Amino acid sequence: MGRGAAFFDLDKTVIAKSSALAFGRPFYRDGLITRRDVVKSAYAQLMFRLGGTDEQTMAKTRDYLATLCKGWPVEQVRQIVAETLHELINPYVYAEAAALIEEHQSAGRDVVLVSASGEEMVRPIGALLGVTDVIATRMGVVDGRYSGEVEFYAAGPSKVDAVGELATERGYDLAESYAYSDSYSDRPLLECVGHPSVVNPDRQLRRLAAENAWPVLEFRHPVPLGRRLRERPAVPVAAAALGVGVGVAIGIAWYGRHRRTRTAPAV
């Protein structure tokens, strides 16, 4: 019997926002997206979250993502993420999720972030959390720019395929593994492990959890990394267990209302 691993969805499970939406303002500021892209991206992500397990919905979301990113310089995207990560992501990591990740690592389990967001975003977020293994969407690249093709779309059943491949490669026993997600679109991921838990679940997922007697966790305390280190554990993970039982307009609007306006050097 192999050892288990712990697979974490990212958005609204580990961080209290959408990782794709979070970088909307700097993407807009640096000319990668337009106002029209902003609205369409937010709508596309909303549709994914509401019906992400539908094959047609996933295909439309994937194709829109490829079209939106076509021609973007890969290095520019990486630089934007690196420059804004601590401002846009760090304050919104759930203390409960960070503590749970540390708990699994202390138990000798590998922790893997599994997200439909792009690898250029997910991997740096993982590094912020001390997580080196990620399963994320990979875009095709030609001459340093996104080609408009999606090499791998980490959503729905595709997540499970990637998890299975990693399990075979590493010798993980999925029956002894854990998975955490907030969205019904991750039902295949939750069902492929022996210890699934739902986090801040949507209505469909809460119902599914009740039907399968899965633990329901409520994460409510996003805390910056520095504060977590001083006050560890910020919130006991056990206290989050309450029972058994899917882009960019929102980011710009929210950022403009709730954070200080920041003037950035022209690119």
Side-chain angles (χ1 to χ4, degrees):
M1 182 174 63
R3 62 193 177 102
F7 301 93
F8 284 78
D9 175 48
L10 181 59
D11 300 348
K12 309 298 179 65
T13 300
V14 173
I15 60 176
K17 54 165 57 182
S18 160
S19 52
L21 297 181
F23 295 102
R25 186 178 186 273
F27 284 172
Y28 175 74
R29 180 199 70 204
D30 286 9
L32 293 178
I33 58 175
T34 65
R35 290 187 180 274
R36 183 179 181 183
D37 294 330
V38 163
V39 176
K40 290 177 69 177
S41 297
Y43 179 77
Q45 187 178 57
L46 175 62
M47 291 300 99
F48 175 81
R49 293 193 64 83
L50 292 178
T53 55
D54 176 79
E55 185 175 345
Q56 185 176 13
T57 301
M58 286 194 294
K60 287 182 178 179
T61 306
R62 178 201 63 211
D63 293 345
Y64 175 72
L65 175 68
T67 300
L68 177 67
C69 299
K70 185 176 182 179
W72 289 9
V74 177
E75 190 53 41
Q76 184 180 3
V77 172
R78 291 175 176 163
Q79 182 176 352
I80 290 172
V81 172
E83 290 176 350
T84 58
L85 180 68
H86 285 272
E87 179 182 4
L88 300 180
I89 299 296
N90 180 36
Y92 303 100
V93 176
Y94 283 121
E96 300 93 333
L100 189 54
I101 286 172
E102 291 180 359
E103 185 177 297
H104 281 295
Q105 291 172 329
S106 296
R109 300 185 192 98
D110 290 346
V111 173
V112 185
L113 291 184
V114 188
S115 175
S117 292
E119 187 173 30
E120 292 80 4
M121 299 177 190
V122 179
R123 193 166 293 282
I125 294 173
L128 187 70
L129 294 161
V131 175
T132 58
D133 294 317
V134 304
I135 293 172
T137 295
R138 298 190 305 272
M139 309 296 293
V141 177
V142 176
D143 296 330
R145 294 177 179 267
Y146 294 116
S147 66
E149 300 293 330
V150 178
E151 292 184 349
F152 173 71
Y153 187 42
S158 294
K159 282 188 177 182
V160 177
D161 293 341
V163 165
E165 290 175 5
L166 186 62
T168 299
E169 176 187 330
R170 301 277 184 86
Y172 299 147
D173 182 355
L174 291 181
E176 296 296 326
S177 294
Y178 296 73
Y180 303 87
S181 179
D182 73 299
S183 177
Y184 187 81
S185 64
D186 276 333
R187 176 176 182 171
L189 173 65
L190 294 165
E191 292 180 333
C192 83
V193 299
H195 303 282
S197 293
V198 302
V199 178
N200 302 341
D202 55 32
R203 184 176 300 177
Q204 280 184 293
L205 185 57
R206 189 177 292 274
R207 185 182 305 117
L208 181 67
E211 292 171 355
N212 291 276
W214 294 344
V216 177
L217 309 180
E218 299 288 347
F219 292 175
R220 298 294 185 227
H221 302 86
V223 179
L225 176 62
R227 181 175 167 189
R228 288 201 304 276
L229 292 175
R230 292 193 303 271
E231 302 178 1
R232 187 183 327 184
V235 177
V237 173
L242 300 184
V244 176
V246 98
V248 185
I250 298 172
I252 293 176
W254 186 94
Y255 189 100
R257 286 198 302 269
H258 295 277
R259 292 193 64 80
R260 205 171 53 240
T261 300
R262 179 166 63 89
T263 302
V267 175

